Amino acid sequence: MVSVGDPAAIPIIYGFNYNFQKAIYINEEFVSQSDFYKVILPYNNGAAMIGTISPLDSDMHLQLKKPVAKIFSMSNLVTFESFVNSSMLLFFSRLAELYSQGTPCDLGTWLEWFVFDVLAELTFSKRYGFLEQAKDVNNIIRDVETHFDNVSLVGQMPWIDTKLQYRPIMSRIFQQPNSPQMDFQFARMAERQAMAAKPQHRESLNERDLLSRFMEAQMGDPTLPPWAAVMWIATNIGAGSGPSATVLRTALYNLLKHPQSHGKLLAELENAAKFGKLSKEATWKECQALPYLDACIKEAERVHPPIGLPLERIVPSEGATICGQHFSGGTVVGINAWVIHQNKSIFGEDADSWRPERWLCGRAERTRMEDTLLTFGAGSRVCYGSNFSHLIIYKLIASILLAYDIQLANPNAKWRSEGRWFVVQKDFNVKLRKRG
């Protein structure tokens, strides 16, 4: 794999006008792929599960994305706010119950629990139970982390998987037949299908959560593969939980580490609340009118991108010129967000520092920086759940800072990061005090 660090290569490798793919098919026959996207797929019963990050060609990806594009659209976000509010209120009540006396709180872990539960509520109208039980229910998160521990190793040496059948064998020996996360998802789907089949139960169905909308999209298009709804669900939660939790942790940690930024954002939030422009449970519309909140979240996405490995693509058969160098067809290339987000020609000489003010600039300059962010991918393969991630992130940051005074448990301590496919932060411990 050739790692590319030039921002000018982003539209070439990931843009709509070029034909760089994760896998290549000719006359519906598979030709080649980036081995990493085969390795990254989760296994159940020794078989790989397909998903939107898997090695599908662009036509198959479009076929799967088109039926649900409207569901994930920015204009549709407001129809899901009540789900986020429900989990957010529970999150805050649990923090108040357990940490109001100054007991140190592992906020990084609680943020991850919150994200998993809110995505489950958005999808199934039912949470996993992380917030209620204050623990990793059925070791769901441990199972996800174990998967990415293996991926981070085998993905860089895919011959271990392809030649030695490492992951199919390991999945049969050491893991449950189905992951606990998939067990939960299949159980919710079975419940919903059973309720839909009985007229007396239909009134109790929530027809506006994602599961109902996914099932409706599946039934409305007979050309879709039978596993489409399962894939949409698994991708929404599996691909959305890591980035959302990472950005939340990054934003709050850096705000606490940089009192000037923290104070500036608090002043913006308090001023908006004073004049009735920011609710206790911040709405999406209200958050869009808070420029410094937006700048802080953009900066969080930049300084600690969730994905720690290059987003691999295959040079098309005719070859391509990248950074003045010709690459023959079939060459695997990619850009690492951790490299490109530190580019000084785009983000300034202080690109290695936290400074949200860089985003409070003219439209042209801001667009140039936004076009260089790979936080949720780029081009046709950008994560289509990114709008949901932003809904969760903006609402939670604004609401929690209004609700709590938060301080680092040890102001001199630094957290640590564990690099897998996602770069996960650990040891984010704080003390909380309810405001007002």
Side-chain angles (χ1 to χ4, degrees):
M1 199 280 295
V2 178
S3 181
V4 180
D6 185 356
I10 292 176
I12 297 175
I13 297 175
Y14 305 111
F16 294 94
N17 297 325
Y18 294 84
N19 195 29
F20 287 66
Q21 299 189 25
K22 293 182 178 181
I24 296 175
Y25 295 77
I26 297 177
N27 295 327
E28 298 186 356
E29 182 177 346
F30 175 77
V31 176
S32 67
Q33 69 179 19
S34 164
D35 288 334
F36 178 80
Y37 291 108
K38 177 182 179 182
V39 170
I40 200 173
L41 295 179
Y43 271 68
N44 272 312
N45 291 316
M49 295 185 62
I50 201 160
T52 58
I53 61 171
S54 61
L56 305 172
D57 70 345
S58 295
D59 291 340
M60 174 63 80
H61 183 265
L62 180 62
Q63 182 190 8
L64 290 168
K65 184 176 180 178
K66 189 175 180 180
V68 294
K70 186 177 180 180
I71 297 173
F72 287 99
S73 68
M74 189 70 74
S75 60
N76 201 38
L77 281 187
V78 293
T79 65
F80 292 94
E81 287 206 60
S82 61
F83 297 104
V84 181
N85 289 345
S86 173
S87 287
M88 193 162 62
L89 289 172
L90 174 62
F91 179 36
F92 291 168
S93 71
R94 296 295 282 146
L95 292 180
E97 178 184 348
L98 298 172
Y99 302 104
S100 60
Q101 301 303 314
T103 306
C105 168
D106 182 356
L107 186 58
T109 295
W110 275 93
L111 289 170
E112 187 164 28
W113 292 345
F114 164 73
V115 168
F116 267 95
D117 267 353
V118 74
L119 285 172
E121 188 160 5
L122 279 165
T123 306
F124 309 108
S125 300
K126 183 174 183 177
R127 292 183 286 266
Y128 287 111
F130 293 109
L131 296 174
E132 286 94 342
Q133 299 181 46
K135 69 176 186 179
D136 181 6
V137 178
N138 295 325
N139 295 314
I140 287 174
I141 294 176
R142 188 191 69 179
D143 186 72
V144 171
E145 290 186 346
T146 298
H147 168 69
F148 284 112
D149 277 342
N150 288 329
V151 164
S152 63
L153 171 66
V154 181
Q156 303 310 301
M157 296 183 288
W159 58 268
I160 295 176
D161 195 58
T162 55
K163 302 296 184 184
L164 303 182
Q165 291 292 293
Y166 172 80
R167 288 194 315 126
I169 293 173
M170 291 296 105
S171 72
R172 288 192 173 98
I173 295 175
F174 294 111
Q175 295 185 9
Q176 300 176 25
N178 286 322
S179 74
Q181 184 176 354
M182 294 307 301
D183 281 342
F184 181 90
Q185 294 173 16
F186 287 136
R188 301 292 78 74
M189 290 188 70
E191 288 173 358
R192 189 65 58 87
Q193 290 166 344
M195 292 177 70
K198 298 178 180 179
Q200 66 271 29
H201 290 160
R202 286 177 186 169
E203 288 186 4
S204 61
L205 285 175
N206 187 332
E207 297 182 351
R208 303 323 301 155
D209 63 14
L210 284 172
L211 177 55
S212 290
R213 301 188 200 199
F214 288 160
M215 291 173 65
E216 182 181 339
Q218 173 92 66
M219 291 185 291
D221 188 346
T223 67
L224 287 168
W227 41 260
V230 175
M231 185 217 68
W232 291 326
I233 293 167
T235 301
N236 183 56
I237 296 178
S241 56
S244 301
T246 299
V247 175
L248 283 170
R249 285 189 291 250
T250 302
L252 289 170
Y253 176 81
N254 278 284
L255 285 166
L256 298 182
K257 279 289 189 179
H258 298 86
Q260 186 175 0
S261 293
H262 189 194
K264 191 171 180 178
L265 179 55
L266 274 178
E268 180 179 74
L269 298 175
E270 290 170 347
N271 186 64
K274 178 181 178 181
F275 289 98
K277 296 180 179 180
L278 185 60
S279 308
K280 188 177 178 181
E281 290 85 47
T283 69
W284 173 250
K285 183 178 180 180
E286 291 168 344
C287 289
Q288 299 316 292
L290 300 171
Y292 199 69
L293 171 67
D294 180 62
C296 289
I297 291 171
K298 279 285 189 291
E299 187 72 344
E301 293 179 346
R302 186 189 71 83
V303 300
H304 191 113
I307 297 173
L309 297 173
L311 305 174
E312 297 184 5
R313 297 292 187 270
I314 301 172
V315 175
S317 58
E318 65 271 20
T321 299
I322 304 172
C323 302
Q325 175 74 40
H326 180 77
F327 292 92
S328 58
T331 304
V332 178
V333 298
I335 297 176
N336 190 318
W338 281 79
V339 174
I340 215 73
H341 288 191
Q342 299 291 315
N343 188 282
K344 293 182 179 180
S345 69
I346 300 294
F347 298 106
E349 290 299 316
D350 62 347
D352 59 347
S353 300
W354 166 269
R355 185 172 65 84
E357 287 75 11
R358 77 179 77 249
W359 296 94
L360 303 176
C361 58
R363 184 68 257 174
E365 179 64 18
R366 183 181 170 97
T367 298
R368 192 165 75 106
M369 291 192 293
E370 289 176 340
D371 288 347
T372 308
L373 287 183
L374 299 179
T375 309
F376 293 96
S380 63
R381 293 300 187 99
V382 69
C383 176
Y384 54 66
S386 61
N387 289 337
F388 281 102
S389 289
H390 283 131
L391 175 69
I392 294 166
I393 292 164
Y394 279 76
K395 286 172 65 70
L396 191 280
I397 296 292
S399 300
I400 197 172
L401 290 178
L402 277 181
Y404 289 94
D405 284 324
I406 309 174
Q407 296 179 341
L408 292 168
N410 181 353
N412 297 318
K414 293 183 179 181
W415 66 7
R416 59 187 174 88
S417 298
E418 297 180 356
R420 304 183 181 95
W421 168 246
F422 295 125
V423 183
V424 180
Q425 313 100 319
K426 303 288 185 178
D427 302 331
F428 181 22
N429 300 304
V430 304
K431 290 184 178 181
L432 301 155
R433 182 174 62 86
K434 197 84 168 65
R435 303 184 78 200

